[in-house]
Amino acid sequence: MNCIYFKFIGLHFQTKLHITLNKLFFSHSTVSLKNKCGSKGPPWRVMFFGNDDFSVKSLQILTSKMRTQTIISKLDVVTTSKGNSRHVRHVAKEEKLNIYDWPVTETCLNGNYDIGVVVSFGQLIPEKIIKCFPLGMINVHASILPRWRGAAPIVYTILNGDLTSGVTIMKIQPRRFDVGEIVRQHSCTVDKDETAEELKRKLADMGGRLLVDCFKELTRTLRSAVPQPETGITYAPKVDKSMADIDWNATDSNTVYNKYRALCGIWPLTTTWHGTTVKLLKLCKYQISNLEIQLKPGELLYDKQRHKLAVKCGGKGGYVSIEELKIPGHRPMSGKDFFNGFVYMKAENERKFDSTLR
C-alpha cells in the first residue's frame, strides 16, 4: 500500500515537473522570438505603402481587420503625390488612417511598426527603410513569380495570351524589384475574353485576401518563405504608348485581340485611314465563313448579314471585327457607321487600314 502511494506521488511530481519545464521552455522561446525580431507580436502594427487603385482593395481588407484588433492593431499609410495615389488617399481619409508622404524617414518608423506592406507602390525602397521593420517588408505582386517581374504584370499577362495568372506575396529585398523570397502564392485562370482591367479587379481582391491569410500566422509564414525559381523568369516593363500601334502586316488576329484586351483600359489601339489616325475603341475576334475571299493585311471586309466590319490581319492571319472606333472631329461610331460613311465610297483596293508605327 505504501509502495503504491509513493509511486503515485513520484508520478505526480514527475508530471508537474514536466509541465513546469515545458512552460518555462515555451515562455523562453516566445521571449527569444520577440527579442530577436524586435516585435511585440500580434496584433501587428503595419505601415502600408500603396499608390494606385490596385492597392485600394488590400488597404480596405487590412482596415477591416484593424477594426477588430485581432491580427492588426495599427495601420498607417505611405503614398506619393503622383499617378493615381488619390484612390489610396481617399480610402485612408475615409477610414481616418494616418497618411505619410513618400519618402518617409527612419525616425517616423523606428519602433512604431512590426512590418511594412507594399502593394503596387512603384518606388524602390532603400535598405535603411526596410531595416526599420523588425519583420521586414512584404509585397503583393500581380503575377505568379518569377513570371512577369516588373511594373506591368497584368498587361503582359493578357498581351501574351496567358491562360493562368495569380498573386505572389514575397519578401522585399533592397536595390531590386520582384526578386525576394516567396511567402505565399495563389493562381487563377484567365478567360479568353478577359481584359486587363477585369483581371486587375480579380487579382486585387485575391491579393488582399491572401495578405490577410499571411497575417493569421505571420511569423511562421515568413519563416517558411522559399526562394524564387531560377527558371521561367520573364519581365513586364512599363507600358509605352507605342504599344497601342498596330502593324497589320506582321500581326495576326490573336495578337491584335490580345493587345486590345491588354491596353483598352489604358490606351485605345491606333491605326491609319488614308493618312488620318483612327482610334479603335472596341474589337472582337471574327470568324469568316467565305474561304474564297482573298484579302491583304489591313484590308476591310463588310459582312452585310452580321453588320460587321472586319480587318484582315497579317502573320498567321485571321480577322478582327471593329465594334467601335473614333476619327478626329467625329463622335465614336460603330463599324457599320464607319463603313457607310467612309469606306463604302472608296474603291475596293482603297478599303484598307495602314499600319501606324511610331
Side-chain angles (χ1 to χ4, degrees), residues 153-202:
I154 295 174
V155 169
Y156 281 85
T157 294
I158 300 294
L159 196 62
N160 286 269
D162 289 5
L163 299 177
T164 58
S165 185
V167 170
T168 301
I169 295 181
M170 64 171 181
K171 292 183 178 180
I172 286 187
Q173 290 185 357
R175 293 179 293 278
R176 291 182 65 192
F177 283 114
D178 306 334
V179 298
E181 292 179 314
I182 294 171
V183 177
R184 285 282 182 90
Q185 279 186 329
H186 191 74
S187 62
C188 65
T189 58
V190 180
D191 185 79
K192 61 183 177 63
D193 295 315
E194 194 166 12
T195 66
E197 282 295 306
E198 292 166 340
L199 181 59
K200 181 197 283 188
R201 289 194 290 270
K202 184 163 71 177

Side-chain angles (χ1 to χ4, degrees), residues 160-295:
N160 286 269
D162 289 5
L163 299 177
T164 58
S165 185
V167 170
T168 301
I169 295 181
M170 64 171 181
K171 292 183 178 180
I172 286 187
Q173 290 185 357
R175 293 179 293 278
R176 291 182 65 192
F177 283 114
D178 306 334
V179 298
E181 292 179 314
I182 294 171
V183 177
R184 285 282 182 90
Q185 279 186 329
H186 191 74
S187 62
C188 65
T189 58
V190 180
D191 185 79
K192 61 183 177 63
D193 295 315
E194 194 166 12
T195 66
E197 282 295 306
E198 292 166 340
L199 181 59
K200 181 197 283 188
R201 289 194 290 270
K202 184 163 71 177
L203 296 185
D205 185 69
M206 183 187 297
R209 296 183 187 283
L210 195 61
L211 196 55
V212 168
D213 285 343
C214 289
F215 273 99
K216 290 176 181 177
E217 294 182 343
L218 185 59
T219 51
R220 185 183 68 81
T221 301
L222 293 175
R223 283 198 298 264
S224 302
V226 296
Q228 292 187 31
E230 295 182 2
T231 58
I233 299 171
T234 56
Y235 294 96
K238 288 182 179 180
V239 179
D240 185 86
K241 194 171 184 178
S242 64
M243 292 170 65
D245 298 337
I246 302 176
D247 182 353
W248 295 108
N249 293 310
T251 314
D252 62 41
S253 59
N254 283 328
T255 303
V256 172
Y257 184 56
N258 289 341
K259 181 177 282 201
Y260 159 72
R261 293 193 300 132
L263 300 176
C264 64
I266 307 171
W267 298 296
L269 301 191
T270 59
T271 186
T272 302
W273 171 257
H274 293 274
T276 301
T277 299
V278 177
K279 295 180 180 180
L280 306 180
L281 304 180
K282 187 177 180 182
L283 299 180
C284 286
K285 291 290 290 296
Y286 179 82
Q287 295 294 329
I288 187 168
S289 55
N290 190 344
L291 299 177
E292 295 181 3
I293 295 176
Q294 298 293 325
L295 296 180

Side-chain angles (χ1 to χ4, degrees), residues 30-242:
T30 305
V31 171
S32 297
L33 179 62
K34 289 178 182 178
N35 289 341
K36 186 175 180 180
C37 70
S39 170
K40 294 181 179 180
W44 307 103
R45 302 166 300 166
V46 180
M47 179 64 93
F48 182 90
F49 296 72
N51 207 34
D52 65 11
D53 53 341
F54 184 83
S55 310
V56 167
K57 194 64 181 181
S58 289
L59 181 57
Q60 289 172 328
I61 292 175
L62 290 180
T63 302
S64 68
K65 293 299 177 183
M66 189 266 293
R67 289 198 204 101
T68 66
Q69 294 287 297
T70 51
I71 57 174
I72 297 174
S73 61
K74 179 179 181 179
L75 182 62
D76 293 337
V77 174
V78 175
T79 190
T80 71
S81 56
K82 300 178 181 178
N84 293 322
S85 63
R86 65 183 184 279
H87 298 292
V88 172
R89 288 182 183 275
H90 177 72
V91 172
K93 287 177 181 177
E94 272 195 337
E95 300 294 345
K96 296 180 173 56
L97 305 177
N98 293 323
I99 303 172
Y100 296 86
D101 291 322
W102 178 260
V104 289
T105 63
E106 298 162 78
T107 306
C108 77
L109 298 177
N110 280 329
N112 295 321
Y113 304 93
D114 301 306
I115 190 167
V117 173
V118 179
V119 185
S120 195
F121 188 53
Q123 305 291 328
L124 198 59
I125 298 176
E127 186 173 8
K128 63 181 181 180
I129 296 298
I130 299 173
K131 287 182 175 179
C132 290
F133 299 97
L135 296 179
M137 300 184 75
I138 55 176
N139 177 44
V140 179
H141 185 78
S143 80
I144 300 297
L145 289 170
R147 187 162 178 78
W148 303 132
R149 291 175 177 173
I154 295 174
V155 169
Y156 281 85
T157 294
I158 300 294
L159 196 62
N160 286 269
D162 289 5
L163 299 177
T164 58
S165 185
V167 170
T168 301
I169 295 181
M170 64 171 181
K171 292 183 178 180
I172 286 187
Q173 290 185 357
R175 293 179 293 278
R176 291 182 65 192
F177 283 114
D178 306 334
V179 298
E181 292 179 314
I182 294 171
V183 177
R184 285 282 182 90
Q185 279 186 329
H186 191 74
S187 62
C188 65
T189 58
V190 180
D191 185 79
K192 61 183 177 63
D193 295 315
E194 194 166 12
T195 66
E197 282 295 306
E198 292 166 340
L199 181 59
K200 181 197 283 188
R201 289 194 290 270
K202 184 163 71 177
L203 296 185
D205 185 69
M206 183 187 297
R209 296 183 187 283
L210 195 61
L211 196 55
V212 168
D213 285 343
C214 289
F215 273 99
K216 290 176 181 177
E217 294 182 343
L218 185 59
T219 51
R220 185 183 68 81
T221 301
L222 293 175
R223 283 198 298 264
S224 302
V226 296
Q228 292 187 31
E230 295 182 2
T231 58
I233 299 171
T234 56
Y235 294 96
K238 288 182 179 180
V239 179
D240 185 86
K241 194 171 184 178
S242 64

